[in-house]
Amino acid sequence: MIPEIGHFALILALCVAVVQGILPIYGAAVGNSALMAVAKPAARGQFFLVLTAFGCLAYAFAEKDFSVLYVAATSNSQLPLHYRLAAIWGAHEGSLLLWTFILTIWMFAVTLFSAHLPESTRSRILGVMGLVSIGFLLFMLTVSNPFERLIPAAAEGRDLNPLLQDPGMVIHPPMLYMGYVGFSVAFAFAIAALLGGNLDAAWARWSRPWTTVAWCFLTVGIAMGSGWAYYELGWGGWWFWDPVENASFMPWLAGTALVHSLAVTDKRGGFKVWTVLLAIMAFSLSLLGTFLVRSGVLTSVHAFATDPKRGMFILVFLAVVIGGSLALYAWRAPRVGLGGSFASVSREGMLLANNVLLVAAMGSVLLGTLYPLFLDALDLGKISVGPPYFDSVFVPLMAPAIFLMGIGPLAQWKKTSVPDLTKRLRWAFGVSVVTAITLPIAMGNWTPLLSLGLLLAIWIITTAVVSLRERLTHVTGDSLMGRLASVPRSYWGMIVAHCGIAVFIVGVTMVKGFETEKDVRMNVGETATINDYTFRFDGAQDVVGPNYTAARGSFSVSRDGREATVLYPEKRRYTAQNQIMTEAAIDPGLLRDLYVSLGEPLDDGAWSVRLYHKPFIDWIWGGCFIMALGGVLAISDRRYRIAWRRQEQDVPASNRAARRKVA
Amino acid sequence: MNRFLLPLSIFIVVLVFLGIGLKLNPREIPSPLVGKAAPDFSQPQLLEPTKVFSPADMKGKVWLLNFWASWCSGCKTEHPVLMDLAKSGEVPIYGMDYKDQRDEAMTWLSRWGNPYPVVGVDDAGRVGINYGVYGVPETYVIDKQGVIQYKQIGPLDPETVEKKIIPLVKQLEAQ
Amino acid sequence: MNIKWIALIGLLFLSGPVWAGEARPLTDDPASEARLKHLAVELRCLVCQNQTLADSNAPLAEDLRREVREMIAKNMSDQEIIEFLTARYGDFVLYRPPLKASTTLLWVGPFLLVIVGATALIITLRRRAGKVVDVPVTEDEHRRVEQLLAEGGKRP
């Protein structure tokens, strides 16, 4: 009965979505406020309906209702409750429900925080989100119904893929989807503005915090996925440029470009057309990612079970949503004004240059991801495009972008003088170059890439210091603390996010340059030493988990004769599907991770063991969290909250006159 | 051209490719060996281990080389198709028992029937590697000069046999 | 008989008390293993979804690693080893696609994107500079705006 309620709630949600997608947009076009008023209750109603459906599926999982096909396919009676709940998004149908649910959460949030928006804008935004929602609800109800019954019911479920039975998997997909779907808000704002023809600085100010929030979620979501791959897949890697990873990285690149371009549109009224395109692009790439993962057109480590019918559905959906919005863009964008003027060498110019590099990087990832498909479709053979390609293409594209990242915050809006910039950045540049060359030599392994990585990281930090120091001389305050406090949060947000990139780069560079790995055959009592850490194998024991049995190795790690830690890597056998999983044991640390994974049992109690010493690896994810923290700081700026309340004064008439375009 | 139409045009191109991509199988990797001489080998025979099986024995004949194993589920699916083809006498199918246990392979053949006049044994998977096998079953059509003319990846089905294998064999026979 | 006993005792002694030994590397020849690893991380496992030959545990990957080990032992160059593999499995096994007519766009594309992007940027900025008329903002006003922005939070 409960699953039927969920199914019915989805059908009702579809009806509401149709109403929400049509009436308010039509109302806004003809100026009928009764029709426009439908948007808010419809969005909220849809939220509660999808919430109901989501709750029903959660209930089916909690109650082990194996008469629901999806529940039987992705869980098992021995699976612990938290993993049964995480199994809601463990496969295609349920993750689609999560997608839709999160879309309605964002809709609900828009209804809460849009009181200051003009009615026509708000109804257009919610209308566009309703239209997107129609697609996903239809998709579920036609070819991917999570509530489909299995009659007769299965006696036992097939179990969740053991790879996904991991705490990281409980939170990674919701975070990632919050990011993907969060871009739908910026997208809806952009489409609404194109429809209404009111692409102004106010539009940018409204979209900015929404985009930043989505970007933060996406950043954290990707970082968590990468961390999960690191400790769960057992090969110690953290990024493989797999199509699924690329599918999440492309919207991130477009979203990063969008966050920056929105800053210009907000502050200077410029780049409007470009910003709109980026908003469309960021969300389109999220949708494209959904297609790539679920259609089976590309082979990937973590692709969903594929079905050509589903692929066809999403393809048509893509064609309608992306094609439609790009057509609208082509139609309306030429009439958009230009905004304030600026010289090529100015903060605007640099942000735009950075945008070009970010979008080129995004385009390269797209090219590399789809190229095997292109060749295959043209019958020109099958190729693989993997990490060596992306590494060699990505670094030269990102290096100049990061160089600009250091200069941008110091450049003035409108026009900046090159000699002046050079003067201000002299010592930052000197310090970066000298450190980047000498540090690797001091550490005993100089490679050009190592130096480049350190150069970029130190460059970001030193330029941030210069920028902060200059900033502090501009603000008033009695003490240093007082002056630090009076620097606006949005500025702190930028500095922190940029430093997050620096931390990330340090992590990547150090791991690539100084990682050590050892494959050994260890008998009980034998030791192996790696970077002054001595690992002693104390034998393996059989342990029984809730739904698996495992051999658990025990390794005492000591440094300079002192006991440091004990690590317990496991080799698990999940009983339901008889799958073997390698569960690595990691001792994380600020400066290094120790990583042990069990290979195969050899004769007389010995095991093949893989040991890693990975310096600075946690900085990779730490950097991502710092970036996201920067985003959080930026949106907590009080300027926004005041702007919410005084949006009418936001673009003063004098300013409008100042930025008027002369056609 | 209107530069605002550029994003839409790029998207349409990508969309067309994605559409074609839906019909393709990304896991099927075409063999570079088609059109090249079949790699030589000389392997012990499964049923008479003292004798060897080598493609050199097949010169002047059109034949199929089928890689299979008793542990392979696709081979079970394919098996009746091979039996029918063998019975029809259109073309001889030679087997290569790929990374298998001898006794299990013998049991498998005696239980389900043996479509092969001769079965070679590829214990270490070396012949498989030389033929670019990456998943059994795989079947090669080899012509009178010992050149590989076609490679079937995955189980043969009656339709492929009817529409591809038999016409190709007839054409090769006629040469 | 005696010699056998001595050998046996010697063997016991050499293998030593089990709690004190240094673990042996998995292979006898770490140098060629390192070379294998170096090669294998750029090679694709054919049966797996998307994994390198180095990471995969599939039987075929094990066989191919064995073949590569043997070729390394025979002192074959990286080039020869890669040719051995592509002759059998095609370019699909290479994670670094070779530069060919069909992959030119793949390798040139990213840099083309930057060049096209940069050119478009410069042209747009030039064209734009000609179109926009801006009321000059004095240095003084600019500073006032900065200050307002900085203090925005304090004013109710």
Side-chain angles (χ1 to χ4, degrees):
Chain A
M1 184 59 196
I2 300 282
E4 276 68 34
I5 294 177
H7 192 175
F8 188 62
L10 284 185
I11 296 172
L12 282 183
L14 176 65
C15 302
V16 175
V18 172
V19 170
Q20 184 189 335
I22 295 170
L23 295 187
I25 294 181
Y26 177 72
V30 297
N32 180 334
S33 63
L35 290 179
M36 286 195 263
V38 169
K40 203 159 125 179
R44 290 185 176 178
Q46 209 194 135
F47 166 74
F48 286 111
L49 286 168
V50 179
L51 175 70
T52 308
F54 195 80
C56 290
L57 190 60
Y59 180 83
F61 270 104
E63 289 297 306
K64 305 173 188 175
D65 184 351
F66 298 133
S67 70
V68 176
L69 183 61
Y70 183 70
V71 176
T74 55
S75 74
N76 184 283
S77 58
Q78 283 167 324
L79 192 68
L81 178 66
H82 56 284
Y83 289 141
R84 286 212 303 283
L85 292 181
I88 296 176
W89 49 83
H92 168 74
E93 290 86 348
S95 67
L96 210 58
L97 180 58
L98 178 69
W99 221 104
T100 318
F101 179 46
I102 289 177
L103 181 63
T104 60
I105 293 179
W106 281 103
M107 269 183 215
F108 191 72
V110 170
T111 64
L112 287 180
F113 300 109
S114 62
H116 59 286
L117 287 181
E119 172 124 55
S120 61
T121 308
R122 182 175 60 228
S123 38
R124 283 197 187 100
I125 291 167
L126 290 171
V128 171
M129 293 180 85
L131 289 175
V132 173
S133 179
I134 292 177
F136 279 94
L137 288 165
L138 258 184
F139 189 19
M140 261 190 288
L141 290 170
T142 51
V143 284
S144 326
N145 182 3
F147 296 107
E148 196 174 322
R149 286 285 192 176
L150 179 65
I151 294 172
E156 181 55 284
R158 269 223 318 265
D159 206 1
L160 180 64
N161 183 345
L163 275 176
L164 309 182
Q165 297 182 26
D166 174 86
M169 209 48 209
V170 178
I171 16 184
H172 156 66
M175 290 301 241
L176 195 68
Y177 285 14
M178 280 300 281
Y180 276 163
V181 187
F183 285 138
S184 72
V185 182
F187 170 80
F189 270 91
I191 299 297
L194 282 176
L195 285 172
N198 49 351
L199 272 169
D200 46 25
W203 155 71
R205 172 142 308 180
W206 292 326
S207 324
R208 234 180 129 181
W210 293 100
T211 312
T212 310
V213 174
W215 180 87
C216 290
F217 276 116
L218 189 58
T219 308
V220 171
I222 295 175
M224 289 178 64
S226 149
W228 165 78
Y230 168 66
Y231 63 77
E232 192 66 27
L233 294 182
W235 40 266
W238 55 277
W239 192 258
F240 193 64
W241 295 103
D242 182 81
V244 170
E245 293 168 346
N246 294 349
S248 66
F249 191 44
M250 288 187 282
W252 187 86
L253 287 168
T256 309
L258 175 62
V259 165
H260 290 88
S261 143
L262 272 172
V264 182
T265 313
D266 175 15
K267 287 223 170 126
R268 298 274 304 135
F271 303 2
K272 283 180 206 156
V273 176
W274 176 240
T275 308
V276 165
L277 182 60
L278 281 178
I280 296 175
M281 235 154 61
F283 184 59
S284 302
L285 287 165
S286 300
L287 290 181
L288 181 71
T290 314
F291 173 81
L292 291 180
V293 180
R294 292 159 201 271
S295 63
V297 292
L298 296 168
T299 25
S300 143
V301 208
H302 8 225
F304 286 91
T306 56
D307 176 344
K309 259 192 298 185
R310 291 176 185 167
M312 203 58 216
F313 188 99
I314 317 179
L315 193 70
V316 172
F317 181 59
L318 285 188
V320 173
V321 175
I322 307 179
S325 41
L326 288 176
L328 182 70
Y329 169 83
W331 176 40
R332 303 298 285 244
R335 298 184 213 166
V336 174
L338 284 173
S341 80
F342 56 87
S344 304
V345 184
S346 60
R347 194 185 282 195
E348 292 93 325
M350 286 184 201
L351 279 166
L352 208 43
N354 228 358
N355 259 294
V356 166
L357 288 167
L358 281 170
V359 171
M362 185 277 290
S364 310
V365 178
L366 185 66
L367 184 71
T369 310
L370 294 183
Y371 209 81
L373 174 69
F374 292 160
L375 284 196
D376 196 12
L378 296 171
D379 209 14
L380 289 171
K382 292 237 173 169
I383 61 159
S384 302
V385 181
Y389 168 83
F390 290 104
D391 286 345
S392 46
V393 161
F394 208 69
V395 173
L397 285 181
M398 275 294 114
I402 287 162
F403 184 72
L404 278 176
M405 205 174 109
I407 310 175
L410 282 136
Q412 272 134 9
W413 295 108
K414 275 182 67 75
K415 184 175 170 65
T416 201
S417 119
V418 180
D420 173 54
L421 264 184
T422 334
K423 212 175 87 194
R424 286 153 70 204
L425 287 171
R426 253 187 329 209
W427 78 264
F429 189 71
V431 168
S432 315
V433 171
V434 172
T435 331
I437 293 173
T438 53
L439 201 58
I441 296 176
M443 288 184 290
N445 181 15
W446 189 89
T447 62
L449 271 181
L450 196 56
S451 252
L452 176 69
L454 290 176
L455 173 71
L456 294 174
I458 300 166
W459 171 245
I460 296 172
I461 303 287
T462 49
T463 51
V465 170
V466 172
S467 156
L468 185 62
R469 220 188 52 185
E470 291 188 1
R471 190 89 194 192
L472 287 180
T473 61
H474 281 298
V475 293
T476 51
D478 309 325
S479 60
L480 178 68
M481 283 315 285
R483 277 189 288 163
L484 282 175
S486 55
V487 171
R489 292 247 192 107
S490 59
Y491 175 80
W492 281 117
M494 174 195 72
I495 290 281
V496 168
H498 285 185
C499 289
I501 301 259
V503 170
F504 171 82
I505 296 174
V506 170
V508 176
T509 310
M510 296 298 280
V511 171
K512 287 238 170 190
F514 294 101
E515 171 186 58
T516 21
E517 174 189 347
K518 213 169 195 177
D519 285 305
V520 283
R521 170 190 205 287
M522 290 183 102
N523 220 320
V524 177
E526 284 186 323
T527 58
T529 304
I530 183 165
N531 283 51
D532 20 300
Y533 287 94
T534 304
F535 295 75
R536 190 185 67 225
F537 180 46
D538 296 335
Q541 274 186 311
D542 287 335
V543 290
V544 180
N547 56 342
Y548 60 85
T549 56
R552 175 189 284 171
S554 165
F555 290 81
S556 306
V557 185
S558 58
R559 190 184 190 188
D560 306 327
R562 264 177 301 164
E563 191 87 347
T565 179
V566 184
L567 292 171
Y568 302 103
E570 292 180 12
K571 197 88 184 172
R572 290 185 185 166
R573 177 187 293 275
Y574 283 84
T575 34
Q577 292 178 33
N578 204 16
Q579 261 177 305
I580 307 276
M581 293 291 309
T582 306
E583 201 75 13
I586 299 168
D587 177 44
L590 186 60
L591 298 182
R592 52 100 197 105
D593 270 16
L594 300 174
Y595 186 112
V596 184
S597 76
L598 282 181
E600 300 300 321
L602 307 169
D603 40 326
D604 53 278
W607 282 78
S608 70
V609 177
R610 180 171 280 189
L611 307 167
Y612 285 107
H613 177 268
K614 289 176 176 280
F616 291 86
I617 188 152
D618 291 321
W619 289 41
I620 291 174
W621 306 294
C624 297
F625 285 106
I626 295 173
M627 282 182 232
L629 177 71
V632 173
L633 277 176
I635 42 173
S636 69
D637 194 304
R638 286 197 69 185
R639 198 151 50 94
Y640 281 124
R641 280 174 278 159
I642 289 158
W644 289 130
R645 276 181 249 131
R646 303 190 292 190
Q647 39 112 359
E648 262 318 295
Q649 294 100 301
D650 217 38
V651 189
S654 62
N655 250 14
R656 279 203 208 109
R659 288 167 192 175
R660 184 171 303 142
K661 148 195 130 163
V662 176
Chain B
M1 195 188 92
N2 182 348
R3 72 199 154 100
F4 295 103
L5 276 171
L6 195 64
L8 184 63
S9 339
I10 295 175
F11 173 68
I12 290 172
V13 171
V14 170
L15 198 69
V16 168
F17 277 105
L18 291 177
I20 301 172
L22 276 181
K23 296 211 184 82
L24 302 170
N25 177 4
R27 311 216 52 194
E28 199 173 292
I29 308 152
S31 173
L33 287 161
V34 173
K36 302 224 170 80
D40 199 17
F41 56 80
S42 100
Q43 297 298 111
Q45 295 187 8
L46 179 70
L47 301 171
E48 291 169 84
T50 48
K51 288 192 190 165
V52 292
F53 167 48
S54 162
D57 311 339
M58 310 299 302
K59 273 276 153 67
K61 271 196 248 177
V62 178
W63 58 294
L64 302 190
L65 178 60
N66 174 252
F67 285 82
W68 65 280
S70 63
W71 46 263
C72 135
S73 60
C75 303
K76 183 71 207 57
T77 323
E78 178 184 62
H79 190 261
V81 182
L82 291 185
M83 290 303 280
D84 286 350
L85 183 59
K87 233 176 266 165
S88 75
E90 295 275 3
V91 60
I93 311 161
Y94 286 77
M96 184 59 74
D97 188 24
Y98 178 77
K99 290 180 71 101
D100 205 354
Q101 301 286 329
R102 178 177 289 268
D103 47 343
E104 281 173 24
M106 307 261 273
T107 319
W108 199 85
L109 286 183
S110 56
R111 183 184 303 169
W112 307 112
N114 181 0
Y116 314 107
V118 172
V119 179
V121 174
D122 182 19
D123 230 356
R126 284 227 161 78
V127 178
I129 287 178
N130 283 334
Y131 274 79
V133 170
Y134 66 94
V136 274
E138 289 188 13
T139 309
Y140 297 79
V141 179
I142 299 170
D143 72 7
K144 290 177 183 168
Q145 284 76 42
V147 174
I148 297 176
Q149 293 294 349
Y150 176 79
K151 177 184 177 184
Q152 168 70 24
I153 296 162
L156 283 167
D157 53 65
E159 200 191 327
T160 317
V161 169
E162 200 68 34
K163 297 215 169 114
K164 277 192 189 144
I165 307 288
I166 291 178
L168 178 65
V169 166
K170 288 210 167 115
Q171 180 202 333
L172 294 172
E173 294 272 8
Q175 272 171 14
Chain C
M1 195 66 180
N2 249 347
I3 294 170
K4 251 189 191 169
W5 273 109
I6 290 167
L8 200 68
I9 292 166
L11 206 74
L12 271 173
F13 188 73
L14 277 179
S15 57
V18 282
W19 58 88
E22 172 77 22
R24 275 173 293 147
L26 216 47
T27 53
D28 304 328
D29 185 0
S32 54
E33 207 56 21
R35 218 183 127 201
L36 167 71
K37 168 106 193 182
H38 169 77
L39 276 166
V41 291
E42 293 210 353
L43 297 172
R44 182 169 189 164
C45 162
L46 291 123
V47 263
C48 329
Q49 291 279 0
N50 189 10
Q51 265 189 314
T52 68
L53 213 49
D55 298 325
S56 169
N57 289 322
L60 178 64
E62 271 163 30
D63 286 356
L64 285 172
R65 281 199 293 265
R66 180 196 65 207
E67 292 291 314
V68 174
R69 259 188 214 111
E70 281 171 15
M71 285 187 274
I72 290 172
K74 277 191 247 161
N75 245 333
M76 284 165 75
S77 70
D78 288 3
Q79 191 57 42
E80 285 171 311
I81 295 172
I82 284 172
E83 269 165 24
F84 174 92
L85 290 168
T86 47
R88 285 156 180 77
Y89 296 103
D91 290 341
F92 187 83
V93 290
L94 307 177
Y95 267 128
R96 183 191 296 277
L99 185 57
K100 287 181 172 180
S102 61
T103 58
T104 319
L105 186 62
L106 177 68
W107 283 103
V108 180
F111 304 98
L112 212 63
L113 278 173
V114 174
I115 294 166
V116 170
T119 322
L121 177 65
I122 291 165
I123 293 174
T124 317
L125 287 184
R126 289 243 170 95
R127 201 189 288 165
R128 192 174 186 282
K131 274 192 202 164
V132 177
V133 174
D134 205 65
V135 178
V137 181
T138 64
E139 196 56 29
D140 199 39
E141 275 178 290
H142 200 79
R143 209 160 287 149
R144 225 181 54 227
V145 170
E146 282 270 328
Q147 203 151 351
L148 275 176
L149 287 181
E151 291 172 357
K154 287 187 189 155
R155 298 194 177 179

